[in-house]
Amino acid sequence: MSPEHTAGSSSLPALDRRTVLAAVAAAGCATALTPAAARAAVPPADPVERRMRGMWIASVVNIDWPTRTGLDAAAQRAEFVRLADDALAWGFNALFVQIRPTADAFWPSVFEPWSQWLTGTQGQDPGYDPLEFMVETAHRRGLAFHAWFNPYRVSMQADPSALAPGHPARTHPEWTVSYGGKLYYDPGVPAARRFCQQAMLDAVRRYDIDGVHFDDYFYPYPTAGSDFPDEETFRAYGAGHPDKAAWRRHNVDLMVREMRDAVRAVRPNALFGISPFGVWRNAATDPRGSRTTAFQSYDGLHADTRGWVRRGWLDYIAPQVYWHIGLPAADYAVLAPWWAEVVRGTDTELWIGQAVYKSGTAGQPAPWQDGKELTRHLTLNATLPELGGDLFFSAKDVRADRVGDFAAMRTAHWRQPVLGPLPARLDRGPLPPRPTLEVRREGRTGAATLLITARARGNKNIPFRYAVHRFPGKPGRRLEAGSASLVAVVPGGKETVYHDAEAPAECWYAVSAVDRLQRQGRMSRPAY
């Protein structure tokens, strides 16, 4: 990730079903319609708006989590629980968590040592399985968990002897290259590429993740006056390519295409996507490029990001358009439409990487100081139908929100709840079963408590989330269920309680179950 360089409705904890039912019965006001009335009143479940609202959680050099090395297991878990709770409260629906930052692991990997960013010592067991804990913590809150990997970076320093004993980069020095004060696996060495893929797929195979995520680090960002030292590798493996640049792009293409294929083979429902540097090529270099004069990922990182989209290799692309509207070299108002054109006519979702870390930061240009730049970005995004959401870098900056930029954006653009994105290739198979709904009204205040119960057998068919729809008046006429009627999307479970503090005195409800893929099932019978 390039910055490494540089009182309304609420969801309540699940309650004991008998306790809630007793309270509802005692109140004498839980009402459901007869089957005939229900058939007349229940609207179809779709359409509702679908958006990615994602937050990056970076672990390298303890950017976001853990906040420092050496925290014990209980403290690490508590920090992550707070992050997940805050993400839910802020309106996010997905976490993108860095779990392999420097060729080390946030799980008990059979390929690589424990990450130094957990304990301070690479290879030291933190005393629990962080990845297992994080996935479970996110899923209990209805948050998708995307595992964020750095494919090639081995270390933030260049000395192999500083790595843990037995580290693969020490036992296979022929795989590594020192460049710019850091250590990397050489993308041009086939054995190194295959090893990196195996190391990442270990987590994909063993953990119930929702996606595999790469950021913008492929070949490293160039160091002034120094070329990446892979001449020997090029002589060994570069036959058939017109020049080293074409060969390097071929190497990165192999990593991307092979990982896409492997992820779909191992975990077919997991998304595979990339968050690249925001400029592919400038139009002055390539007429297909953007009207920018910035660094070019195609040439500088050997990442053909536009080509990956056009070839159908990605479920989504989330370019880091980390610049303000009006910046001459790389104008957000130029790049967002350019990326929309890139994905047009493809099955690739487009989400935009947003630089909340710039908001209110000393030294950033004036547009990042007025607390309105993110709002301007999402206002422009709303004019681009191909654009399906945003990712925000990163968690600590969302929390700091130094000039209220993120809060203003939420007020302007996130007041309406949404479901998560549903790529076309996953929109298949049986939908989640229809839940049951009971409503308790609380006197004259208008507040309502909803008890939502899944039709699940054991641990099967338990919804991931519930979509809560509210309609004015009394049931009896068919209404359109969609974004206008959607008042909440809450974590799923066998029994879920939702408290609507802003319920009108006269209204009725229907809910639908949403599965892990974000598919919405049939609406419940109405209740009021």
Side-chain angles (χ1 to χ4, degrees), residues 180-474:
K182 298 181 177 67
L183 197 64
Y184 299 91
Y185 285 120
D186 187 339
V189 177
R193 184 183 77 251
R194 287 192 292 268
F195 171 80
C196 291
Q197 292 168 344
Q198 290 173 337
M200 293 184 283
L201 287 167
D202 180 60
V204 180
R205 186 174 291 108
R206 293 166 56 191
Y207 296 88
D208 193 17
I209 62 174
D210 299 289
V212 170
H213 180 75
F214 289 175
D215 57 12
D216 53 325
Y217 289 106
F218 295 99
Y219 278 84
Y221 281 85
T223 297
S226 175
D227 189 30
F228 188 74
D230 59 353
E231 186 61 34
E232 184 177 336
T233 312
F234 180 50
R235 285 196 298 268
Y237 300 106
H241 297 277
D243 53 40
K244 186 187 288 187
W247 168 73
R248 286 175 174 174
R249 278 190 295 276
H250 170 73
N251 296 332
V252 178
D253 282 352
L254 286 175
M255 170 62 81
V256 171
R257 191 192 69 213
E258 291 171 355
M259 274 300 292
R260 189 283 307 266
D261 292 345
V263 169
R264 289 193 181 177
V266 169
R267 193 169 291 279
N269 289 338
L271 301 183
F272 176 66
I274 291 174
S275 177
F277 184 77
V279 174
W280 173 70
R281 298 190 97 184
N282 301 313
T285 304
D286 187 322
R288 298 171 298 174
S290 52
R291 290 182 292 105
T292 51
T293 55
F295 178 82
Q296 304 173 118
S297 64
Y298 181 93
D299 303 275
L301 306 179
H302 307 288
D304 185 9
T305 54
R306 180 184 181 277
W308 303 338
V309 172
R310 304 306 297 183
R311 298 180 199 118
W313 291 356
L314 306 177
D315 288 308
Y316 68 86
I317 194 162
Q320 297 169 32
V321 188
Y322 284 173
W323 306 289
H324 62 267
I325 292 174
L327 179 67
D331 189 341
Y332 186 96
V334 167
L335 283 163
W338 184 87
W339 281 106
E341 192 280 329
V342 168
V343 303
R344 191 171 300 140
T346 75
D347 289 332
T348 305
E349 297 267 338
L350 172 62
W351 312 326
I352 296 290
Q354 300 287 353
V356 66
Y357 76 95
K358 288 187 173 182
S359 297
T361 301
Q364 293 295 336
W368 292 107
Q369 308 299 336
D370 67 4
K372 300 176 182 178
E373 184 64 15
L374 293 175
T375 300
R376 290 189 285 265
H377 287 193
L378 269 71
T379 298
L380 188 152
N381 291 0
T383 70
L384 302 170
E386 296 85 2
L387 211 161
D390 304 87
L391 308 185
F392 291 80
F393 190 90
S394 67
K396 69 180 179 63
D397 300 293
V398 172
R399 174 172 285 137
D401 199 17
R402 287 170 287 272
V403 290
D405 204 350
F406 181 75
M409 182 278 300
R410 285 180 60 211
T411 299
H413 293 286
W414 282 16
R415 293 179 66 88
Q416 181 63 42
V418 295
L419 295 183
L422 176 59
R425 75 175 181 88
L426 299 182
D427 191 8
R428 51 182 169 72
L431 297 175
R434 186 184 194 187
T436 61
L437 172 65
E438 297 176 72
V439 177
R440 175 186 174 185
R441 300 306 296 258
E442 300 176 10
R444 297 179 179 178
T445 66
T449 297
L450 283 65
L451 175 66
I452 309 166
T453 306
R455 292 182 176 175
R457 294 182 179 180
N459 291 322
K460 293 183 178 180
N461 296 325
I462 298 175
F464 187 60
R465 309 177 90 187
Y466 290 107
V468 180
H469 292 263
R470 184 180 68 204
F471 304 90
K474 292 183 179 180

Side-chain angles (χ1 to χ4, degrees), residues 113-134:
W114 283 107
S115 177
Q116 72 181 91
W117 312 114
L118 291 167
T119 63
T121 302
Q122 191 175 67
Q124 182 177 326
D125 191 331
Y128 74 115
D129 185 335
L131 181 52
E132 179 181 59
F133 176 79
M134 291 188 293

Side-chain angles (χ1 to χ4, degrees), residues 56-71:
W56 275 298
I57 299 176
S59 60
V60 69
V61 300
N62 301 107
I63 290 176
D64 293 312
W65 181 84
T67 56
R68 60 181 175 86
T69 59
L71 294 175

Side-chain angles (χ1 to χ4, degrees), residues 160-171:
S161 68
L163 301 173
H167 192 294
R170 294 183 67 172
T171 57

